[in-house]
Amino acid sequence: MSRSERLLNLLQVLRRHRRPVSGMALAAETGVSIRTLYRDIASLQAQGAAIVGEPGVGYVMKPGFMLPPLMFGSEELDALVLGMRMVADCGDRPLAQGALSTLAKIAAVLPPELRRELDESALLLGAGRRPVAHGIVPDLLRAAIRAQQKLRITYRDPSGVESQRVVWPFALVYFDQNRVLMCWCELRDGFRNFRSDRISEAELLEVRYPRNKQSLLREWRRLEHVPGHSILPETDSGPR
C-alpha cells in the first residue's frame, strides 16, 4: 500500500468514529505500527486535517472535514474522470458545465503526478450516443427534488393523451436515451414515473410536499421488490 493510500485509509477510519479512538486501536484497524500511525496523524494534521487528540487520550476528526482531492487514489481518479465525461457528454447544459467545472477544480489541487494521471486518462466514451430529448428544462425537475416542493405538470402518455397532475418529485433516473421523474402522484394517490420528454409543461409550486424525499425513496425501493409491482421506466397513462 502506498503512503497516499495509507493516509486515505486512515482518514476513512477516523470518519467512521464519532468518539476519540486510541492510537493502538487505530493502528490495529489500519494495519500499521503505532509509530507509523503517530507519524501519519502528524502528516495529516500538517496538511490541514482537523484531527484532535494525543497519545494516551485518543484521536477524533472534527465534523465537517472534507476529504481533500489530493488524497484520491488512482481508481478513484479514473472513476471521477469517466463519470464526469459521461455527464458532460450526456447531461443537459447545466450538468455538463458542472461536470467540466468539477474536473477543473480537482485538477487544480492535485499534486503533479496525479495531475498528469488525470490529464492522461485513457478512459474514453464511445461515439454514436444520441442526445437525450427533454420536454422541459431538466434543471427545474432537479430544483423541485432538492427543495422537496410540489410540481404541477402536463403529461402526455404513450397514446398521446394529456393529463394535468400535481406530483411530489423525489428522484430523477438517468437512462441512456431518456430521463424518468419519480414521484408520488396526487391524482393516482400512489407512485408514478414520468418520462421527461413527455412532460410538456411544469410549474414549481410554492409548497413543500408533506413527506421527505428520503422516506419516499425508501418506500419506493420496498415496493420495487414486491412481486408484480414494477414502476420503471414508466408507469402511467391518461386519465381513467
Side-chain angles (χ1 to χ4, degrees):
M1 180 184 296
S2 68
R3 181 172 178 272
S4 62
E5 289 174 325
R6 192 177 72 241
L7 294 177
L8 173 60
N9 185 44
L10 176 56
L11 279 175
Q12 300 286 25
V13 169
L14 284 166
R15 291 179 71 181
R16 293 199 296 266
H17 293 282
R18 297 187 178 182
R19 298 179 181 275
V21 187
S22 71
M24 290 299 297
L26 288 172
E29 194 167 350
T30 56
V32 300
S33 68
I34 189 66
R35 179 178 295 183
T36 297
L37 177 84
Y38 290 151
R39 188 165 58 244
D40 287 348
I41 287 177
S43 178
L44 289 172
Q45 289 171 328
Q47 295 180 42
I51 301 170
V52 296
E54 57 185 70
V57 176
Y59 297 90
V60 66
M61 190 158 62
K62 292 181 178 179
F65 175 72
M66 299 301 291
L67 202 61
L70 60 87
M71 299 302 298
F72 289 149
S74 296
E75 290 78 12
E76 292 167 327
L77 280 177
D78 281 344
L80 279 169
V81 170
L82 184 60
M84 292 302 100
R85 285 176 176 172
M86 290 180 69
V87 173
D89 186 63
C90 305
D92 52 86
R93 184 178 296 274
L95 274 186
Q97 292 175 341
L100 296 176
S101 175
T102 298
L103 271 182
K105 288 179 179 179
I106 291 173
V109 296
L110 286 174
E113 64 275 12
L114 289 183
R115 173 64 184 269
R116 285 193 297 273
E117 191 170 333
L118 184 147
D119 290 341
E120 297 170 4
S121 173
L123 300 180
L124 307 175
L125 297 180
R129 305 176 71 91
R130 292 180 296 167
V132 175
H134 297 289
I136 60 168
V137 179
D139 51 346
L140 174 63
L141 305 181
R142 294 195 299 270
I145 293 169
R146 283 193 297 268
Q148 300 182 106
Q149 289 179 218
K150 295 184 180 183
L151 272 177
R152 180 182 289 116
I153 65 172
T154 300
Y155 186 72
R156 184 185 71 258
D157 74 5
S159 301
V161 178
E162 286 194 343
S163 59
Q164 296 263 332
R165 314 293 181 93
V166 173
V167 299
W168 310 350
F170 61 88
L172 188 61
V173 184
Y174 285 70
F175 290 95
D176 190 38
Q177 297 302 327
N178 56 57
R179 308 289 182 257
V180 174
L181 185 67
M182 298 170 60
C183 310
W184 179 270
C185 177
E186 293 186 354
L187 178 66
R188 301 287 188 239
D189 192 28
F191 289 108
R192 291 295 186 272
N193 301 306
F194 304 95
R195 277 179 43 174
S196 65
D197 59 332
R198 291 178 177 161
I199 300 175
S200 58
E201 296 180 12
E203 177 188 359
L204 185 61
L205 303 180
E206 295 298 322
V207 56
R208 287 172 63 94
Y209 45 78
R211 298 176 59 185
N212 65 62
K213 59 187 178 184
Q214 290 85 1
S215 68
L216 289 169
L217 186 56
R218 282 194 299 270
E219 184 177 345
W220 171 79
R221 283 174 171 159
R222 179 178 59 81
L223 290 174
E224 188 183 26
H225 297 290
V226 175
H229 191 283
S230 175
I231 61 173
L232 280 180
E234 182 180 41
T235 58
D236 213 74
S237 57
R240 291 191 292 268

